[in-house]
Amino acid sequence: MAYIENGVLQEINIERARSRGMVGNIYQGRVSRVLPGMEAAFVDIGLDRAAFLHVSDIELKPEEKETGVESRPRLIYDLLRTGQNLMVQVIKDPLGSKGARLTTEITIPSRYLVYVPNGRNIGVSSRIEDASERERLKGILTQFMVESRSQQVEPEIGGFILRTAAEGADADSLRQDYEFLCRLWTGVQDRQLDESGIGLILEDLPIALRALRDVLGGSVEKIRIDSRETYHRAVQFAQEMVPDILPMIEHYPGERPLFDMHNIEQEVASALDRRVPLKSGGYIIIDQTEAMTTIDINTGGFVGSKNLEETIFKTNLEASSAIARQLRLRNLGGIIIIDFIDMIEQEHRAVVQETLKRALENDHARTKVCEVSSLGLVEMTRKRTRESLEHILCEPCPTCAGRGTVKTAETVCYEIFREVTREARQYNAKQMLVIAASAVVDRLREEDSTSLAELQEFIGVPLKLQTDVHYLPEQYDIVLM
């Protein structure tokens, strides 16, 4: 699923069997271990790894909120016990060696509303700024809730949040969403009651339908789908949930792949590189680690026309927009450290930081940009719920094991010398055979031939060399003969 803005790829979501996102899925789980030292618990939800539930993600019941329980310290062993069953929702996919992160604060979104089963209030998105519109929407939804409660012997209607997309929506559209969410929640409760074990209760929509529900806004002009099956599912979903976008959806029957038309394959390949070129001739370097992502800006071949300060300022400005796009495109999250080129003028620093913030306004993920630190670094965070593009498309290199570098042939040669010495002292061999990669054997026969001869004289055992084309640069074997 690719998002194109002004003819340029801004964001891509990839969903495969092994990388299918679980965020939004609702499970019935069982507490497998309570960890008072971490104020957390591990919950078995039927996956390979137990999921993680922190005490801060355990929601209080409405009656507990009214009594002010949340103002007192919350201890995990007061809330959970080993073997306890509970309904949870995934808020962060498994990342690296970490399991999924859970919450007991269940939320179920639709086009205009978000249902909060354990809530009692009506919230309105902060992006709906018009006060009269906010009151109109709350009034419509309040009427729906009053009608529902009057028709039930034991009213259990929870709370709702009006999404940004609800701005300007009529009462019929809101009612359709409202009734859909009530039916969906009733089904979730029924499946929970029937489920004596653990497992999935409600799976979030597939990526194509999820995009129609969550991402699309007033600025979208067209939705092209090349799969006829997906197209029909999207049309059916739009008819039921978002009929206003039906005219935008079209099937692409062309022979040329849709991604090729927009150069998406090449853009994705570029997004896997560390180095991102800028139009001016400068470039940025992006390094992704488990703890954080670091971004470095360089002027490269850009020499400017006025003075050094102006050259640096223009490079940093261009880099700000490029960084915002790369964060979305690569789906980078967590802590991000940006090392802009040092600027002397305070006004230039403020403009660069403001440019970065404005460029991030179109990002669907929540971001927070801090002030420039004393070291000239900009620290920011971006909400991370799913694996990055690199983690989905790539795997650790079998040659370097993910380090990004391999030992030089010289280093491996000296390792062989030390290993040969150890083997000669431990065993009584008549001859030794060294099997290694061609680059290592070539060095032993040429640059290190003198050292090899001295080693043979020292241990008193002849050494024979053999090249194996299947050996990796750091791999070698010493065979006693």
Side-chain angles (χ1 to χ4, degrees):
M1 175 69 68
Y3 301 90
I4 309 294
E5 295 178 10
N6 299 320
V8 179
L9 177 65
Q10 298 292 334
E11 192 171 333
I12 185 163
N13 290 336
I14 297 174
E15 195 168 81
R16 295 174 176 169
R18 72 175 182 88
S19 61
R20 173 72 189 270
M22 294 186 295
V23 173
N25 290 357
I26 299 175
Y27 292 84
Q28 177 152 309
R30 181 177 297 118
V31 179
S32 57
R33 188 180 179 190
V34 178
L35 306 172
M38 297 178 63
E39 290 298 341
F42 285 117
V43 181
D44 184 4
I45 57 175
L47 302 178
D48 294 337
R49 284 174 292 182
F52 183 81
L53 176 63
H54 190 262
V55 67
S56 61
D57 294 316
I58 300 177
E59 185 184 34
L60 292 174
K61 297 179 180 179
E63 57 270 19
E64 293 176 323
K65 295 180 181 179
E66 294 175 357
T67 59
V69 173
E70 75 274 11
S71 62
R72 299 195 295 269
R74 305 173 66 199
L75 302 177
I76 190 69
Y77 54 74
D78 290 336
L79 302 172
L80 298 177
R81 67 182 186 279
T82 302
Q84 176 182 347
N85 279 20
L86 70 165
M87 185 187 295
V88 291
Q89 188 170 33
V90 177
I91 57 175
K92 185 179 291 186
D93 277 337
L95 299 172
S97 59
K98 300 177 182 177
R101 181 155 182 171
L102 307 175
T103 180
T104 62
E105 185 176 356
I106 308 297
T107 57
I108 305 177
S110 63
R111 174 60 172 168
Y112 302 116
L113 304 173
V114 176
Y115 180 51
V116 186
N118 293 329
R120 290 184 177 176
N121 300 321
I122 298 176
V124 184
S125 169
S126 59
R127 294 189 178 182
I128 302 178
E129 299 178 352
D130 186 85
S132 60
E133 176 65 6
R134 294 172 67 91
E135 289 302 318
R136 182 187 75 87
L137 293 171
K138 290 182 69 173
I140 294 174
L141 200 56
T142 299
Q143 181 181 351
F144 295 162
M145 296 175 70
V146 171
E147 292 175 358
S148 297
R149 288 189 173 119
S150 65
Q151 296 172 3
Q152 295 182 5
V153 179
E154 297 181 0
E156 293 184 355
I157 299 298
F160 286 88
I161 300 173
L162 286 147
R163 307 181 69 178
T164 306
E167 187 172 11
D170 56 37
D172 290 339
S173 298
L174 293 174
R175 180 181 290 277
Q176 186 178 12
D177 261 23
Y178 176 83
E179 293 176 351
F180 166 77
L181 288 174
C182 290
R183 291 195 303 270
L184 187 60
W185 177 242
T186 300
V188 168
Q189 288 182 306
D190 291 342
R191 283 190 288 274
Q192 182 193 21
L193 293 174
D194 295 337
E195 183 66 58
S196 58
I198 58 175
L200 181 67
I201 297 178
L202 178 67
E203 186 174 21
D204 200 11
L205 295 172
I207 186 171
L209 305 186
R210 195 165 63 239
L212 298 181
R213 182 194 68 191
D214 297 337
V215 179
L216 298 178
S219 60
V220 175
E221 297 178 357
K222 190 165 292 186
I223 306 161
R224 285 185 170 179
I225 304 174
D226 57 3
S227 166
R228 187 170 294 277
E229 179 184 355
T230 304
Y231 167 74
H232 288 308
R233 292 180 64 188
V235 169
Q236 182 181 359
F237 177 80
Q239 288 173 339
E240 297 175 358
M241 298 295 300
V242 280
D244 53 312
I245 69 170
L246 268 173
M248 304 179 192
I249 304 176
E250 69 174 35
H251 178 250
Y252 172 74
E255 294 183 4
R256 185 183 179 189
L258 191 56
F259 273 26
D260 285 357
M261 288 182 59
H262 298 280
N263 201 30
I264 291 175
E265 295 282 359
Q266 185 175 344
E267 290 280 5
V268 171
S270 299
L272 298 176
D273 292 338
R274 290 179 65 238
R275 179 170 171 150
V276 180
L278 303 176
K279 291 182 179 179
S280 63
Y283 61 91
I284 60 179
I285 297 294
I286 301 177
D287 285 316
Q288 183 182 354
T289 67
E290 185 173 352
M292 67 180 69
T293 298
T294 60
I295 303 176
D296 184 47
I297 295 95
N298 296 277
T299 56
F302 181 49
V303 296
S305 57
K306 293 184 179 180
N307 53 56
L308 178 60
E309 177 68 14
E310 191 68 19
T311 300
I312 291 173
F313 177 53
K314 289 183 177 180
T315 303
N316 284 339
L317 276 181
E318 186 181 3
S320 297
S321 300
I323 288 170
R325 175 174 176 260
Q326 290 297 322
L327 294 181
R328 289 181 63 186
L329 185 57
R330 298 169 186 242
N331 195 24
L332 299 174
I335 300 173
I336 300 166
I337 307 296
I338 306 173
D339 184 10
F340 285 105
I341 307 172
D342 291 338
M343 294 170 285
I344 299 175
E345 296 185 21
Q346 185 62 36
E347 181 182 355
H348 286 175
R349 294 186 181 184
V351 172
V352 168
Q353 188 169 11
E354 185 60 30
T355 301
L356 176 63
K357 290 181 179 179
R358 285 201 308 270
L360 290 168
E361 288 178 355
N362 294 328
D363 198 336
H364 302 299
R366 187 172 66 248
T367 58
K368 179 181 178 181
V369 181
C370 301
E371 299 297 325
V372 180
S373 71
S374 58
L375 297 176
L377 305 175
V378 172
E379 302 169 8
M380 65 167 290
T381 60
R382 184 174 185 271
K383 186 177 181 181
R384 175 170 56 188
T385 57
R386 291 184 168 90
E387 294 274 18
S388 68
L389 184 68
E390 179 183 311
H391 286 155
I392 292 175
L393 297 181
C394 306
E395 62 183 12
C397 171
T399 300
C400 68
R403 296 199 313 267
T405 58
V406 294
K407 296 176 183 177
T408 64
E410 182 182 16
T411 301
V412 177
C413 286
Y414 283 107
E415 287 185 0
I416 291 175
F417 289 162
R418 289 191 293 271
E419 181 65 22
V420 166
T421 303
R422 284 192 292 268
E423 296 283 349
R425 290 176 177 175
Q426 188 173 359
Y427 303 102
N428 186 21
K430 296 182 179 180
Q431 187 180 18
M432 291 187 181
L433 173 63
V434 177
I435 308 173
S438 59
V440 175
V441 173
D442 289 345
R443 184 176 181 89
L444 289 172
R445 286 173 174 165
E446 296 172 7
E447 291 95 329
D448 290 331
S449 58
T450 303
S451 300
L452 183 66
E454 292 176 350
L455 177 62
Q456 291 184 88
E457 184 178 353
F458 175 74
I459 63 175
V461 177
L463 294 174
K464 186 178 180 181
L465 305 179
Q466 179 177 318
T467 299
D468 193 316
V469 295
H470 298 102
Y471 272 41
L472 300 176
E474 298 181 5
Q475 185 180 0
Y476 63 86
D477 283 308
I478 299 175
V479 181
L480 303 180
M481 302 175 69

